[in-house]
Amino acid sequence: MTKTLANLLPGVAVQQVIGDTAVAIRSLVYDSRRVAPGSLFVAIRGQHSDGHQFIPQALARGASALVVDQRHWQGPAPAGTPVVVVADSRVALAPLAAAFYGYPGRELTTIGITGTKGKSTTTDLTAQLLAAAGRSVGMISTVDFQIGARRWPNDTRQSTPEAPEVQALLREMVAAGCDTAVIEATSHALSPRWGRLVGCAFNVAVMLNIGHEHLDYHGSFEQYRADKAQLFALLAERPGPTWAIVNADDPNHQHFLAAAPATTSRLRYGLNEPAEVQGQLLRSGPMGSVLRVESPWGAAELTVPLPGRFNASNALAALTVALTQGIPLDTAAAALAGVRAPRGRMVPVNAGQPFGVIVDYAHNPDSFAQIFAMLRPQVQGRMIAVFGSAGERDVAKRAIQGEIAGQMCDLLVLTDEDPRGEDREAIIAQIAAGAERAGKQAGSGYLCIPDRAQAIRAALAAAQPGDLVLLLGKGHEGSIIYADHSIPWDEEGEARRALAELGYAGD
């Protein structure tokens, strides 16, 4: 795929152009190690390194042109290589990528899903539902990527990849004959400080809920909410009909509707508050839920084969998307009955042991409160939770997680999640402070075992018949990150190995 530099500049806040913009561009990269002859190298100043320092390496590897940030580039321009000076090179990356890949989002029905919790599950449910109803679907989620029938793990550790990766995936979807793309849209990706999803040309924006998350990056709850609402503002990129879908049960939903263009059709779904797509929970248990739905497209009874009220709400969001896309309600309802949970989301681990084990990605206060409240009434014995909290991320939530878990669970085993560059024991101590506020005491109410494999073994060894052990925070993730290294990780596999050591090897 070859473009000229001039082809890529519409939509970019260009401050100055030095050199010939007719130069051919064969690839778009922001990592100097990936530069090849014909590359456009976008120099970005990050948290740990400054891409401007690697311009000589990019030129040595054959970069045809440079994009630099006016705030960080010192010059001078290299002889014979065009340089585009922009207001913010990080923000410029998305429009550059969309132009380089030929705006593939415009050739798809592009659906964005945002929220504090449930994004990955709802993205996956929406993709599954649409595919079962006959659409050819691509998906970008925290857990997996999908292009038609091909599905593979997202090992990037980014729920929403960088803009060039997003646009490349969308272009692959178009080439593979997909007609629909479902994208998990995170607050980091949507923030105007990054704007990774600019140029995706969304047809549908979905808001699930807003809670306490990522305030280390956004600075305040209000900014976090505003950044997430950017998904709805991005509907303005798409000519023709667009849909803004929000959860009426979340008190913040009006902020998202207000962010959408005036011409966008607005639609609410909900289980509690009045909504156009109104769900009524008839039955709910450990194996799933049954809902009655009233909508402008008719009424139906839905079977949701996933546990918990929050999964019923996620399924209602996916159903609402399908209805806006012209899928008949009875067809959507039948498809919904056959969906499955994504990897690492409420996955039971059964090796014949007399107690329950569930792996889930819950890693913030809201998801803790929901999962504990849902499961507590269904547990005959004790509830044991194994979890940590990420290093170099929201510090405030650590004690809150500890307190919520301390109130709802009988035993906590506090361990590593992804310490990164922080002191692992200091993170655990902050969680423990919250647990102690809930009345838990060290040694009896909570254990501190930084090594996650050993923490899982301690929890399973302590479990008695009728208990439930919850392994929280890692879910599908394939590694644990430390300051200078990471270790491969498989939460479900580790649980099975630990159960086998206890003599449980069945399935």
Side-chain angles (χ1 to χ4, degrees):
M1 184 173 295
T2 302
K3 305 274 185 173
T4 68
L5 180 58
N7 295 149
L8 308 187
L9 298 183
V12 178
V14 175
Q15 304 298 302
Q16 182 184 9
V17 176
I18 304 169
D20 183 8
T21 60
V23 64
I25 301 298
R26 295 181 175 83
S27 64
L28 174 68
V29 296
Y30 53 90
D31 183 336
S32 62
R33 294 167 296 185
R34 297 183 180 180
V35 170
S39 293
L40 171 62
F41 175 60
V42 184
I44 297 173
R45 183 172 182 175
Q47 184 176 359
H48 301 294
S49 63
D50 185 351
H52 298 83
Q53 296 177 352
F54 298 96
I55 287 174
Q57 290 91 323
L59 293 172
R61 293 177 67 90
S64 291
L66 306 172
V67 172
V68 299
D69 192 308
Q70 65 173 354
R71 300 167 298 174
H72 309 303
W73 183 58
Q74 303 298 319
T81 302
V83 177
V84 179
V85 184
V86 299
D88 186 325
S89 56
R90 185 186 301 278
V91 172
L93 191 59
L96 287 167
F100 179 76
Y101 286 100
Y103 301 99
R106 298 175 183 175
E107 301 175 54
L108 298 158
T109 295
T110 309
I111 300 161
I113 296 175
T114 197
T116 299
K117 56 186 182 293
K119 293 188 298 298
S120 298
T121 295
T122 306
T123 298
D124 208 313
L125 294 184
T126 302
Q128 289 183 57
L129 198 163
L130 293 173
R135 303 288 283 266
S136 181
V137 180
M139 181 182 73
I140 299 173
S141 85
T142 299
V143 180
D144 287 329
F145 297 133
Q146 178 181 340
I147 298 177
R150 184 164 66 98
R151 186 177 178 121
W152 68 100
N154 175 0
D155 294 326
T156 67
R157 298 302 294 266
Q158 289 182 302
S159 298
T160 308
E162 302 290 349
E165 285 74 27
V166 169
Q167 295 296 331
L169 284 166
L170 293 178
R171 177 49 63 193
E172 285 188 57
M173 292 175 196
V174 172
C178 293
D179 52 49
T180 304
V182 188
I183 302 174
E184 180 177 343
T186 65
S187 59
H188 290 74
L190 291 166
S191 167
R193 292 159 55 189
W194 206 298
R196 292 182 210 164
L197 295 176
V198 168
C200 287
F202 289 102
N203 298 81
V204 182
V206 183
M207 169 266 191
L208 304 176
N209 47 66
I210 297 295
H212 185 102
E213 182 78 318
H214 299 309
L215 300 193
D216 56 322
Y217 177 82
H218 300 279
S220 69
F221 174 81
E222 290 74 20
Q223 187 61 52
Y224 173 59
R225 182 177 62 190
D227 287 348
K228 278 196 169 290
Q230 285 294 310
L231 175 63
F232 288 68
L234 287 174
L235 293 170
E237 293 183 339
R238 189 80 181 209
T242 54
W243 290 89
I245 298 172
V246 297
N247 183 359
D249 295 337
D250 190 287
N252 299 284
H253 72 270
Q254 289 292 350
H255 290 272
F256 290 77
L257 293 179
T263 55
T264 293
S265 299
R266 288 157 166 78
L267 201 58
R268 297 169 298 168
Y269 70 91
L271 294 172
N272 301 324
E273 297 300 320
E276 288 78 23
V277 181
Q278 188 75 62
Q280 179 187 2
L281 200 57
L282 302 179
R283 298 186 298 279
S284 183
M287 300 305 294
S289 303
V290 177
L291 293 80
R292 175 73 180 172
V293 174
E294 303 277 349
S295 80
W297 293 270
E301 193 168 282
L302 303 180
T303 298
V304 180
L306 304 175
R309 187 181 186 89
F310 62 89
N311 273 325
S313 180
N314 293 338
L316 197 58
L319 176 80
T320 304
V321 172
L323 294 175
T324 67
Q325 298 308 300
I327 295 172
L329 178 56
D330 57 348
T331 302
L336 195 57
V339 298
R340 63 192 182 279
R343 290 182 302 111
R345 265 57 174 185
M346 293 296 291
V347 176
V349 183
N350 184 8
Q353 75 277 6
F355 50 85
V357 180
I358 289 177
V359 172
D360 191 73
Y361 188 56
H363 63 285
N364 59 48
D366 283 349
S367 56
F368 268 35
Q370 289 224 6
I371 194 170
F372 295 145
M374 177 188 76
L375 294 173
R376 178 80 264 182
Q378 301 172 13
V379 179
Q380 297 176 350
R382 300 176 303 159
M383 199 150 72
I384 301 169
V386 179
F387 67 95
S389 196
E392 299 179 6
R393 297 295 186 268
D394 189 355
V395 174
K397 75 174 185 178
R398 296 171 184 170
I400 300 172
Q401 288 176 257
E403 186 169 8
I404 293 170
Q407 292 168 346
M408 301 292 287
C409 299
D410 300 282
L411 175 64
L412 313 181
V413 184
L414 308 181
T415 188
D416 286 349
E417 186 177 305
D418 287 307
R420 296 185 172 87
E422 285 196 59
D423 184 320
R424 64 201 302 206
E425 294 184 356
I427 295 172
I428 290 174
Q430 290 172 328
I431 302 171
E436 291 181 356
R437 288 205 301 262
K440 289 289 189 283
Q441 295 183 349
S444 56
Y446 71 87
L447 308 175
C448 298
I449 306 177
D451 184 292
R452 194 169 180 103
Q454 294 308 312
I456 289 173
R457 282 161 174 76
L460 298 180
Q464 299 171 1
D467 289 352
L468 175 64
V469 179
L470 294 169
L471 310 180
L472 304 176
K474 293 304 296 178
H476 65 283
E477 290 183 342
S479 64
I480 299 178
I481 303 173
Y482 295 90
D484 55 0
H485 71 288
S486 63
I487 61 172
W489 190 252
D490 176 356
E491 188 94 330
E492 182 180 347
E494 198 64 42
R496 291 191 180 280
R497 284 188 287 275
L499 287 168
E501 291 167 12
L502 293 172
Y504 306 111
D507 195 345

